[in-house]
Amino acid sequence: MMKKSLFPLILFSTTVLFAYSGNDSKENGTGVLNQTGDTINMNDIVITATRTPKMLKDVPQLTRVISRRDIEAMGDVRIEDILQTEFAGAEFHQAGYGTSMSFQGLDARYVLFLIDGERMAGETYGNIDFSKIATNNIERIEIVKGASSVLYGSNAMGAIVNIITRNPRKKAEISVSGQYGGYNNRDYDKHNDKYSRKMDTPNSNASLYAGFNTGRFSAVTDASFQSFDAYKMMSTKDAERHYIKNLMTGKPMDEIVMANEGGLSISGYQALNISQRFSYKFSDKVSASIKGGYYWKNRYDFDESEDGRINPTTAVLPSGISGTENPVWNYENNYGYNFSAQVNYKINDKNQIGFSLFSDTYFRREKDITGNVTPKQRHSYFIPRVQWINTPNKSNRITVGMELLQEKLKYDRTETGYDTQYSFNSFAIYGQDEIQITERFSAVGGLRIENYGFDDFVSFYENFVGKPKARIGDGLSVTPKAALTYNFDRFTLRANYSMGFRNPSLKEKYMVLQPISFITIKGNPNLDPEKNHYVSLSGEYTSQSNVFNTSLNVYASFFRDKIDVFQVGQELIYGNIQKSKIYGLEWTGQVRIIRGWWLRGNYSYVHQTNEGASEATQYIFTSPHTATLQTNYSVVLKNYTLGFNLSGRYIGKKTYEDTSYPSATNRIFGTYEVTLPAYTMWDLSANITFKKHITLTAGAINLFNYKPSIVSFNSAITPGITGFVQLTLNL
């Protein structure tokens, strides 16, 4: 009971503290907080909301920024930890295939992740491979809430997370960092084969960042290696299931699932990220850059004896269905590479044009103990783009762009297997007009016209120019947006309407997957794109002294043709079967209590309704109430700087319906109601920096050792408290 009541009390105290504004101080334009962390700078430049540089206070959609300073205060953590710490409503879960994200009522299919404005290949059931994102080279993270498909196309229906990488500002910048953390748990102390040994690896990482900038030429080299320890979560309490209907017998039924049955395996991994970028300024008008990156990862899963799969000798299955043992994922190898090139040409003071070319390829392979390799997936993007920006006067800026997106997939879970390559192509023209109507009042309007689903340029011409091909799911989409912004002295009011869309993934169209012996998930090549209408109204206030900021955002999102799977006999088939409505409210605030001491809070409420076939399935559910709270303090002394950071997140109670399938530990095929209690988790870190060059950081994750009593796909994924220590050298 104490844990449930603690967080609302702290939030109430936070609100009282926010009435204090502190003393006046000046902005210096280096970020959301200035270099000493004493003020909030709403004149900070961001680019994601409009694809053009714009001050944070003037963006048409409410934008949140996580700075390099925020990330360093936490230690060198994973991107999942950063987002969960900073944003209420962001939750990460473990499903059978890996990490799964939910964000304010939506799963990861509706959140578009970008690195420097470009997509990432490697989609796994809507989720990217999050270990592809190295956190040591992040300059800032810009998060734009709501639909942004006009500028970014498919998947930008709920939010955009744009990770901006570091650029050197000095002639030479070199940073070396190493972190060591404890094991999540020790699983294979008595095992000696090479697979089992990898199940126990400490939570550690090492990174190198080197940047050089002569003014005309700059170069950045970045490398990081991360190790994450696998662990298995087990329930400590029996679960009572009250089935609405046992689908084997057609009758209601109760069941007790013992605490020592099943469990949830969290994969371990070792991952390497390397990137190199060169930039050159030929003249005041022409500049260019090229960038390449390589990614490698080995993922380690628990062996066959512990993963709880169906055992044909013990599982009781529906009549006429035989149980078969699925092949075990002993360990898996992922790797990939990307390349980008960009040229910017400033024609004159009013016109500039940019050309870019981007390619990203991701491979996924399965290995067994003997080292045999089975290809599972090859996924790639190829995206050329041209964008023109015209500024006819101080009150108007027009952006026009064209881009081609070519996506390819080879996947072993299709009817024809890995040897068949599937492709999806789209061509888009987008335009945006930013108008400063008065000194305080501005408007943004935009439109995207996209032709999707053509196989080659002949069919593209037939669809886009000539007679359209009569093929379900292929054609044109028109996506609009409009936003109004009004700035008072210290208060900004924003009203926004935008339309989003998501083209069905190649897996949703062609996949044939048998996750358990008697159920098959099948794709549907005739799927239509999903669409949503997003409306929001937000108000934001920053104090005169720039030490207090708060915002409130209310929004609604209306989805149609939502893609889900529905059951037909022993098959789950993808289809456009749902309408969905999401209503939400989000509050954020930050205040400087005294010089060097900041307090930040974030609360999210989400209400979701679905209208569709009762057979539609869902396995990850979001809590209606979530919140985060952070407090950090830093003090600069003569030769060193001390810093402390405490962050907590609150996940409210959630109630949902779940479905169980027969397995070695479960005998019933049916639907039951689940209620998960609210909980809080806290992280603590402290650091000391000597003469601006050497930083020592130590911390504890899950400070109060919270563990869920009943483990499921929707429970928190944590092994309990873990500690770490980190040393960083900045030259």
Side-chain angles (χ1 to χ4, degrees):
M1 189 68 183
M2 181 63 178
K3 288 185 178 180
K4 294 182 181 180
S5 60
L6 180 62
F7 206 96
L9 177 62
I10 293 175
L11 283 178
F12 173 77
S13 303
T14 304
T15 306
V16 174
L17 285 170
F18 276 75
Y20 173 77
S21 323
N23 298 320
D24 289 347
S25 56
K26 295 181 180 180
E27 301 172 349
N28 68 3
T30 60
V32 177
L33 297 182
N34 69 10
Q35 290 177 342
T36 58
D38 285 333
T39 57
I40 300 166
N41 186 11
M42 296 304 293
N43 292 328
D44 187 48
I45 300 298
V46 293
I47 60 175
T48 305
T50 60
R51 268 199 187 270
T52 56
K54 204 172 186 70
M55 286 189 291
L56 187 59
K57 67 180 182 181
D58 296 328
V59 292
Q61 288 175 263
L62 196 62
T63 301
R64 289 283 308 279
V65 178
I66 304 174
S67 67
R68 180 73 201 160
R69 177 187 177 88
D70 299 327
I71 297 171
E72 289 176 340
M74 301 179 210
D76 196 1
V77 293
R78 301 183 301 162
I79 187 66
E80 300 99 304
D81 303 317
I82 295 172
L83 294 178
Q84 287 187 132
T85 299
E86 292 284 341
F87 290 99
E91 297 181 55
F92 286 85
H93 306 275
Q94 181 76 10
Y97 49 80
T99 302
S100 181
M101 177 190 180
S102 62
F103 186 82
Q104 294 184 333
L106 297 171
D107 62 49
R109 295 177 297 172
Y110 308 100
V111 180
L112 180 60
F113 279 82
L114 307 171
I115 295 182
D116 292 326
E118 301 292 355
R119 295 171 178 264
M120 285 180 280
E123 176 270 338
T124 303
Y125 304 102
N127 294 274
I128 62 169
D129 187 342
F130 293 102
S131 57
K132 286 183 68 176
I133 302 174
T135 59
N136 67 296
N137 70 340
I138 296 176
E139 178 67 30
R140 68 185 186 277
I141 304 174
E142 297 179 6
I143 293 94
V144 179
K145 306 292 182 64
S148 298
S149 290
V150 168
L151 296 177
Y152 293 96
S154 179
N155 299 84
M157 301 179 77
I160 288 180
V161 179
N162 190 10
I163 295 157
I164 313 295
T165 57
R166 297 164 66 181
N167 276 317
R169 298 177 181 176
K170 300 177 181 179
K171 289 184 178 180
E173 298 178 12
I174 300 176
S175 176
V176 180
S177 179
Q179 183 186 97
Y180 180 86
Y183 295 85
N184 290 328
N185 63 349
R186 302 301 294 268
D187 305 298
Y188 287 96
D189 285 337
K190 298 180 181 179
H191 293 243
N192 293 316
D193 63 79
K194 67 176 183 178
Y195 160 69
S196 297
R197 289 199 304 269
K198 295 296 185 180
M199 296 298 292
D200 281 320
T201 56
N203 293 306
S204 61
N205 57 64
S207 64
L208 167 68
Y209 172 87
F212 306 91
N213 191 340
T214 66
R216 185 176 292 272
F217 173 75
S218 65
V220 174
T221 303
D222 174 72
S224 67
F225 178 80
Q226 186 177 49
S227 170
F228 183 76
D229 186 31
Y231 60 98
K232 187 163 187 177
M233 297 173 57
M234 299 296 296
S235 299
T236 57
K237 177 180 171 183
D238 296 343
E240 298 182 10
R241 295 180 178 177
H242 306 285
Y243 289 88
I244 301 170
K245 181 172 67 173
N246 181 352
L247 296 180
M248 296 181 190
T249 64
K251 299 178 181 179
M253 187 173 181
D254 292 341
E255 180 189 32
I256 301 294
V257 179
M258 305 299 291
N260 61 350
E261 295 182 352
L264 190 63
S265 298
I266 312 300
S267 305
Y269 63 83
Q270 293 176 328
L272 173 69
N273 283 279
I274 301 174
S275 68
Q276 177 69 56
R277 181 172 67 241
F278 298 104
S279 301
Y280 190 77
K281 188 176 181 180
F282 295 92
S283 67
D284 292 338
K285 291 187 174 182
V286 182
S287 61
S289 66
I290 59 172
K291 180 182 178 181
Y294 176 76
Y295 167 75
W296 168 90
K297 171 184 174 182
N298 270 350
R299 193 184 82 168
Y300 306 102
D301 282 308
F302 284 79
D303 65 13
E304 182 177 345
S305 64
E306 295 198 15
D307 70 356
R309 295 175 185 270
I310 293 175
N311 186 327
T313 61
T314 59
V316 180
L317 304 179
S319 176
I321 301 175
S322 61
T324 57
E325 193 77 41
N326 285 332
V328 63
W329 293 357
N330 290 320
Y331 59 101
E332 188 176 86
N333 172 245
N334 306 327
Y335 69 98
Y337 44 82
N338 61 75
F339 171 81
S340 64
Q342 186 172 6
V343 177
N344 293 308
Y345 175 52
K346 185 178 180 181
I347 302 171
N348 51 45
D349 290 339
K350 295 183 178 181
N351 295 276
Q352 56 181 310
I353 190 168
F355 304 90
S356 66
L357 182 67
F358 173 75
S359 174
D360 190 13
T361 304
Y362 179 88
F363 296 88
R364 185 166 162 233
R365 306 183 303 171
E366 184 179 277
K367 294 184 177 182
D368 61 23
I369 296 175
T370 64
N372 293 324
V373 177
T374 303
K376 295 177 68 67
Q377 176 179 313
R378 182 189 189 276
H379 184 229
S380 66
Y381 283 121
F382 176 75
I383 308 174
R385 181 186 304 110
V386 57
Q387 181 170 285
W388 168 62
I389 300 175
N390 172 247
T391 310
N393 52 61
K394 293 182 179 180
S395 301
N396 194 213
R397 180 163 56 184
I398 300 169
T399 303
V400 177
M402 294 187 299
E403 69 178 13
L404 172 69
L405 185 149
Q406 183 182 71
E407 181 182 6
K408 293 182 179 181
L409 175 70
K410 296 176 73 174
Y411 188 46
D412 68 335
R413 306 295 173 91
T414 62
E415 289 185 349
T416 53
Y418 185 83
D419 292 334
T420 299
Q421 179 170 273
Y422 299 93
S423 64
F424 180 87
N425 302 294
S426 66
F427 174 78
I429 299 174
Y430 60 87
Q432 175 184 262
D433 195 359
E434 304 168 61
I435 307 171
Q436 192 69 40
I437 301 172
T438 68
E439 184 180 351
R440 297 179 180 273
F441 186 43
S442 62
V444 175
L447 188 70
R448 185 185 189 93
I449 301 174
E450 180 160 328
N451 175 246
Y452 57 87
F454 57 90
D455 296 322
D456 50 40
F457 284 100
V458 174
S459 61
F460 162 69
Y461 177 82
E462 292 175 344
N463 277 6
F464 196 67
V465 181
K467 183 179 179 180
K469 297 177 68 174
R471 196 167 57 188
I472 297 175
D474 293 353
L476 291 173
S477 67
V478 179
T479 309
K481 78 169 185 178
L484 300 174
T485 305
Y486 191 86
N487 284 313
F488 299 89
D489 289 336
R490 307 298 299 180
F491 180 78
T492 301
L493 184 66
R494 299 177 176 91
N496 178 66
Y497 162 77
S498 52
M499 186 175 176
F501 71 92
R502 187 181 76 86
N503 292 317
S505 71
L506 290 170
K507 289 182 181 178
E508 289 171 332
K509 295 175 73 172
Y510 302 111
M511 178 174 65
V512 178
L513 174 65
Q514 191 172 22
I516 58 177
S517 60
F518 68 99
I519 290 291
T520 300
I521 301 176
K522 296 189 69 173
N524 180 358
N526 296 324
L527 290 171
D528 290 323
E530 299 179 321
K531 295 183 179 180
N532 76 318
H533 298 277
Y534 176 86
V535 292
S536 67
L537 180 65
S538 65
E540 184 173 24
Y541 172 77
T542 304
S543 68
Q544 183 69 34
S545 54
N546 299 304
V547 295
F548 168 64
N549 171 267
T550 187
S551 65
L552 181 67
N553 182 41
V554 292
Y555 63 90
S557 193
F558 305 93
F559 290 80
R560 59 187 175 90
D561 294 327
K562 201 169 185 184
I563 296 173
D564 203 340
V565 292
F566 60 97
Q567 188 165 344
V568 178
Q570 296 172 22
E571 292 183 341
L572 297 174
I573 301 175
Y574 280 99
N576 298 100
I577 58 176
Q578 277 200 60
K579 291 183 178 179
S580 179
K581 300 175 183 177
I582 293 179
Y583 304 95
L585 176 149
E586 183 182 23
W587 168 84
T588 63
Q590 54 184 325
V591 63
R592 191 190 72 180
I593 301 173
I594 59 175
R595 183 175 295 275
W597 184 11
W598 286 87
L599 191 63
R600 293 192 304 226
N602 183 206
Y603 166 78
S604 173
Y605 169 75
V606 175
H607 175 72
Q608 181 177 9
T609 61
N610 290 318
E611 301 173 12
S614 59
E615 298 89 352
T617 63
Q618 184 177 351
Y619 57 89
I620 298 296
F621 299 87
T622 302
S623 171
H625 302 276
T626 55
T628 66
L629 182 66
Q630 281 186 289
T631 181
N632 55 69
Y633 177 73
S634 63
V635 57
V636 180
L637 302 175
K638 184 176 181 180
N639 292 319
Y640 57 91
T641 301
L642 289 173
F644 301 91
N645 184 78
L646 176 67
S647 60
R649 63 182 185 269
Y650 167 82
I651 308 297
K653 183 178 73 173
K654 63 175 81 172
T655 300
Y656 58 91
E657 288 187 356
D658 205 352
T659 301
S660 67
Y661 298 93
S663 68
T665 57
N666 180 46
R667 307 291 183 264
I668 296 178
F669 179 26
T671 302
Y672 58 97
E673 186 176 272
V674 179
T675 298
L676 297 181
Y679 66 90
T680 62
M681 292 181 64
W682 295 86
D683 301 333
L684 175 66
S685 63
N687 60 76
I688 180 169
T689 301
F690 301 93
K691 297 184 178 181
K692 300 182 180 180
H693 295 303
I694 303 174
T695 301
L696 180 64
T697 305
I701 299 172
N702 193 359
L703 183 63
F704 300 111
N705 199 35
Y706 168 77
K707 296 180 182 180
S709 58
I710 297 178
V711 172
S712 72
F713 283 169
N714 286 274
S715 60
I717 48 175
T718 172
I721 185 172
T722 56
F724 70 90
V725 60
Q726 176 178 309
L727 181 65
T728 302
L729 304 178
N730 293 303
L731 305 178

